[in-house]
Amino acid sequence: MDEASSPAPAPAPAKTYYDGCRGCAIERRKESSTGIPYRELSFVGITTFVSSLPITSLFPFLYFMIQDLRVAKREEDIGFYAGFLGASYMVGRGFASIFWGMVADRIGRKPVILFSILSTIVFNTLFGLSVKYWMAITTRLLLGALNGFLAPIKAYCIEVCRDDQQALGMSTVNTAWGLGLIIGPAIGGYLAQPAKQYPNIFHEKSIFGRFPYLLPCLCISILAILALISCMWLPETLHKHTNLEMAVDTAEASTTQEHTESPKKSLLRNWPLMSSIITYCVFSLHDTAYSEIFSLWTVSDRKYGGLSFSSKDVGQVLTVAGATLLLYQIFVYRWLDKTLGTINSTRFASALSIPIIAAYPFLTHLSGVRLGVALYIAAMIKSSLAITRVSGTSLLQSNAVPQGQRGAANGIATTLMSLFKSAAPAGAGIIFSWAQRRQHASFFPGDQMVFLLLNLTEVLGLLLTFKPFLAVPEHYK
């Protein structure tokens, strides 16, 4: 009797799709197909790679550019002006990222991505044509401010993938971004001042002789044009339902059914989001400081605890490490995320980074082939672990909010990350200089102190991945 009178469980609400909505079209495709969206992820990888190239491409020639712009009255002042020019991109991006994330949530991911690539083409080329310091710093500032690429592309790579493919989508963005940050300096170093480097090909009176930093910028802009053309076929993923009471809801295949029926939560009060963003920023601070210190440490003299490498040697190590990221992303990361889960894989990568960083100062006791093998292996593993951490925290961010807030959420993350990344190089340089002066200290002498402080930052990031600080999004419960 009681069993007969007990209410039957309510059926799961059916997903509703709307004709003419491109977001619904993507959801239908995800529901009917179990294959990996190779076409969309190819677009994501290409556009991300191209957008990241201008960020670091200027570093190999920055010192010489400041010299040629004749803004520094003394040679000792070049570093001062170079610092402002180098940081201007991150400053511009930090101020504008939240705005572009909100725009992407309002009008769609594709328009913001297209506009960002177009702005890269225009302002990166103008930077190469700069003949005054104010023009160089203005074009870099605008290049960062008008390139709102990172927030929508992180939302996009989640939205084109099924739940079990999201790790692959996010690692595609982070791997392509990391490759761009490595290949960018190579383009700048090989192609800057072509009339001096390749006098048999480029004449002093040619356009590349009069504008010695145009060629690397122009090459990146040409790649950006090709990426812009390819993005014309990029499908939109944001839901837009016209003539309905609720403008942008319904039917994301994984988690949106619950999100669309509840009012949007304030992003700043969304602790699962903010805790993952803070953790993400700590890891970004560590990774940027590590990149700066690694380059300084490897080229510094052995009497100061370095390896006495040349710039070419360091470039080769970084290039091999970058190539490893691509193989790791294709063959390892998705399996690792599926096996351990997003949170545990992030913790695993962070914990494994600690002994690797601790081993760096002791590589100075090696030489020849043994040094080369040890350094290459350490750099390859460290870069792969860094991608694992960043991808994991990025997935936590994107799944902590509904689709209609995903662009703005990634915009907040990009803004805070840009601020952390702006501070990291200066702080790392100051600490490295201080450590060089204490080679004979009794407590962690020389570069041992540098890598100790790097490890403390890593430990802090690792601790932040545990409760009570990190709040796990409902998606992972």
Side-chain angles (χ1 to χ4, degrees), residues 1-82:
M1 182 104 180
D2 292 337
E3 290 183 2
S5 61
S6 60
K15 297 185 178 77
T16 305
Y17 298 116
Y18 295 91
D19 292 332
C21 173
R22 296 178 181 179
C24 287
I26 290 290
E27 296 302 327
R28 282 198 188 100
R29 192 218 68 198
K30 287 160 58 177
E31 198 170 63
S32 61
S33 173
T34 58
I36 296 173
Y38 288 109
R39 185 173 73 109
E40 288 79 4
L41 291 182
S42 297
F43 287 138
V44 167
I46 292 170
T47 53
T48 303
F49 174 75
V50 169
S51 293
S52 64
L53 287 174
I55 299 176
T56 55
S57 62
L58 81 162
F59 290 139
F61 60 79
L62 183 57
Y63 185 92
F64 306 105
M65 188 178 196
I66 298 297
Q67 272 186 330
D68 292 344
L69 293 176
R70 295 186 173 87
V71 65
K73 296 181 180 178
R74 300 177 303 168
E75 189 173 354
E76 296 91 327
D77 297 332
I78 290 178
F80 174 80
Y81 290 98

Side-chain angles (χ1 to χ4, degrees), residues 140-285:
R140 286 289 295 183
L141 188 69
L142 291 173
L143 178 61
L146 298 179
N147 189 344
F149 178 84
L150 202 53
I153 202 66
K154 283 189 173 183
Y156 187 89
C157 75
I158 291 292
E159 292 159 1
V160 296
C161 292
R162 296 168 62 91
D163 280 6
D164 60 336
Q165 301 165 346
Q166 288 184 1
L168 177 63
M170 189 60 71
S171 67
T172 299
V173 171
N174 290 319
T175 300
W177 192 263
L179 284 173
L181 297 182
I182 292 171
I183 302 300
I187 294 175
Y190 281 112
L191 300 183
Q193 298 177 311
K196 290 183 179 180
Q197 293 199 71
Y198 316 106
N200 295 330
I201 303 176
F202 300 96
H203 196 272
E204 281 285 349
K205 294 185 179 179
S206 67
I207 186 171
F208 297 116
R210 289 184 287 118
F211 300 100
Y213 310 105
L214 175 61
L215 184 59
C217 296
L218 194 60
C219 287
I220 292 173
S221 295
I222 291 172
L223 292 175
I225 290 173
L226 298 177
L228 182 66
I229 294 172
S230 71
C231 280
M232 296 299 179
W233 291 274
L234 197 72
E236 179 59 68
T237 60
L238 184 68
H239 289 270
K240 289 185 178 180
H241 307 149
T242 56
N243 301 322
L244 297 172
E245 290 183 9
M246 301 182 73
V248 183
D249 14 57
T250 84
E252 269 187 287
S254 56
T255 60
T256 15
Q257 193 69 36
E258 293 83 8
H259 285 143
T260 53
E261 293 174 359
S262 59
K264 292 180 179 179
K265 186 189 297 184
S266 169
L267 291 178
L268 297 180
R269 296 180 180 178
N270 184 340
W271 187 241
L273 171 67
M274 296 309 299
S275 61
S276 60
I277 287 178
I278 294 171
T279 307
Y280 171 70
C281 288
V282 171
F283 285 139
S284 296
L285 174 71

